[in-house]
Amino acid sequence: MNIRKVRVFYRFRKILPLLFLLLYLTGCGNPAAKLESSGNIPAQTEGAADGAQVNQAAEKLNREVPADTAGDSGRIAATVIKVVDGDTFDARFADGSVERVRLILIDTPETKHPRIGEQPFGKEASDFTAKLLTGKKVELELDVQERDQYGRILAYAYVGGKMVNKLLLEKGLARVAVFPPNTKYVDEFREIQDEARKKGIGIWSIENYVKEDGFQSGGGKGQTGEDGRRPSEEKSCQNPTIKGNINSRGEKIYHLPGGRYYDVTKAEEWFCTEEEAMKEGYRKSKQ
């Protein structure tokens, strides 16, 4: 036995723990740190509830999207176990994890909104997606941003070689909804949308139903004008700028101009003052 080699081995074994500690402190051993620094996944979420729910949401945002198991296609294989509505479903991945998936670049009418309830063609869109996907194997294609502020995976979904996002647009069951940086197919999607609009099918069969920021909800207190704002006679000013939004958990949150989520927030109600928003049960956005 070479004594010199044995001594070198034992000396190296003594400093090995120090090397591992150094790697951990510099961030090499922390996958979450890599993800946060990549810019692809947001580090925080406004929509989450306070306390423990915020921590759970943050962990989900920083979690890696399950590894690709679909070969050279660059897509992620999964099985759909539940359809939530026209553009959202739950899927099980190869590692056994279950994630909520949101179809990107499109928006279907609501079916279970805590205030709006069911909108026209919401059920038709939900039934179409459920029939197409429930229990089926799908492939998910990601864009630039992998998750939204609620921790959902953002994807283009394929079943039988066809993209579900496109099919919903073709049937007139969805509108194009652009949220940068996920804009890979925006031009193609708009062409498909234009064809459905010309045919007057689905959501396009109702005059002035489809708006730039969503769908026109009729009647009652929540009725909006063409720009998505409540009628001016209900407000203390002509051009309210404070956005009121209800998230997926039913929380009512208002956003001020300049806030972190202001530009990407879809306003369901508009307010002139914070007092008006709070009177309607909204709380101020924390960011």
Side-chain angles (χ1 to χ4, degrees):
M1 179 182 294
N2 191 319
I3 299 299
R4 180 176 296 176
K5 290 183 178 179
V6 171
R7 287 177 178 172
V8 170
F9 171 78
Y10 277 99
R11 287 174 184 171
F12 178 75
R13 193 173 70 171
K14 288 180 180 180
I15 67 171
L16 194 58
L18 295 175
L19 290 174
F20 280 120
L21 178 61
L22 180 61
L23 287 171
Y24 180 82
L25 292 176
T26 56
C28 295
N30 187 347
K34 293 179 181 178
L35 284 171
E36 289 183 13
S37 64
S38 70
N40 287 337
I41 301 178
Q44 297 179 343
T45 173
E46 161 58 28
D50 295 332
Q53 289 185 347
V54 171
N55 292 332
Q56 291 172 2
E59 289 175 5
K60 195 166 188 177
L61 285 171
N62 291 320
R63 184 187 306 162
E64 289 188 32
V65 173
D68 177 22
T69 58
D72 297 330
S73 68
R75 301 173 188 165
I76 303 166
T79 301
V80 177
I81 60 175
K82 176 185 176 183
V83 170
V84 179
D85 59 22
D87 53 28
T88 309
F89 58 86
D90 293 337
R92 178 176 286 111
F93 294 83
D95 63 359
S97 64
V98 174
E99 296 267 10
R100 181 148 293 184
V101 180
R102 174 64 163 83
L103 299 176
I104 44 177
L105 262 182
I106 67 166
D107 178 38
T108 61
E110 298 285 353
T111 57
K112 303 173 183 177
H113 195 281
R115 182 177 63 82
I116 297 173
E118 183 179 315
Q119 295 178 307
F121 289 98
K123 185 178 186 302
E124 287 83 347
S126 182
D127 289 348
F128 177 83
T129 302
K131 184 177 180 180
L132 190 66
L133 295 184
T134 304
K136 302 290 181 60
K137 294 185 181 299
V138 296
E139 292 182 351
L140 305 179
E141 178 185 357
L142 305 181
D143 208 323
V144 178
Q145 182 178 328
E146 297 172 350
R147 293 183 187 270
D148 66 9
Q149 65 265 39
Y150 305 118
R152 300 177 298 187
I153 293 175
L154 301 172
Y156 307 98
Y158 295 82
V159 61
K162 296 182 178 180
M163 188 197 290
V164 181
N165 312 54
K166 290 183 181 179
L167 293 176
L168 284 161
L169 290 171
E170 289 173 0
K171 298 290 183 180
L173 297 175
R175 69 181 185 93
V176 175
V178 183
F179 292 95
N182 293 337
T183 58
K184 184 174 183 179
Y185 298 108
V186 64
D187 292 336
E188 184 178 357
F189 279 21
R190 282 176 172 154
E191 289 178 4
I192 297 172
Q193 176 176 267
D194 287 343
E195 286 299 314
R197 184 192 289 115
K198 290 176 184 177
K199 294 176 182 177
I201 58 176
I203 59 176
W204 306 106
S205 65
I206 303 176
E207 187 177 1
N208 296 325
Y209 177 45
V210 184
K211 302 299 179 183
E212 186 67 28
D213 62 348
F215 300 92
Q216 176 71 45
S217 296
K221 184 179 178 180
Q223 187 173 2
T224 60
E226 290 189 2
D227 61 355
R229 299 170 189 249
R230 295 262 297 281
S232 59
E233 59 267 26
E234 298 182 19
K235 298 298 180 183
S236 60
C237 65
Q238 290 296 317
N239 295 300
T241 58
I242 299 174
K243 292 182 177 182
N245 176 264
I246 303 176
N247 67 21
S248 59
R249 282 168 295 281
E251 292 181 296
K252 302 173 80 172
I253 303 169
Y254 69 84
H255 300 259
L256 299 174
R260 179 176 179 181
Y261 297 104
Y262 184 84
D263 291 336
V264 298
T265 294
K266 174 181 172 182
E268 290 164 300
E269 291 193 64
W270 291 82
F271 302 100
C272 297
T273 66
E274 292 186 66
E275 288 74 19
E276 286 182 0
M278 289 186 285
K279 186 177 179 180
E280 295 295 331
Y282 287 79
R283 69 164 176 83
K284 185 177 181 179
S285 170
K286 296 178 180 179
Q287 300 189 45

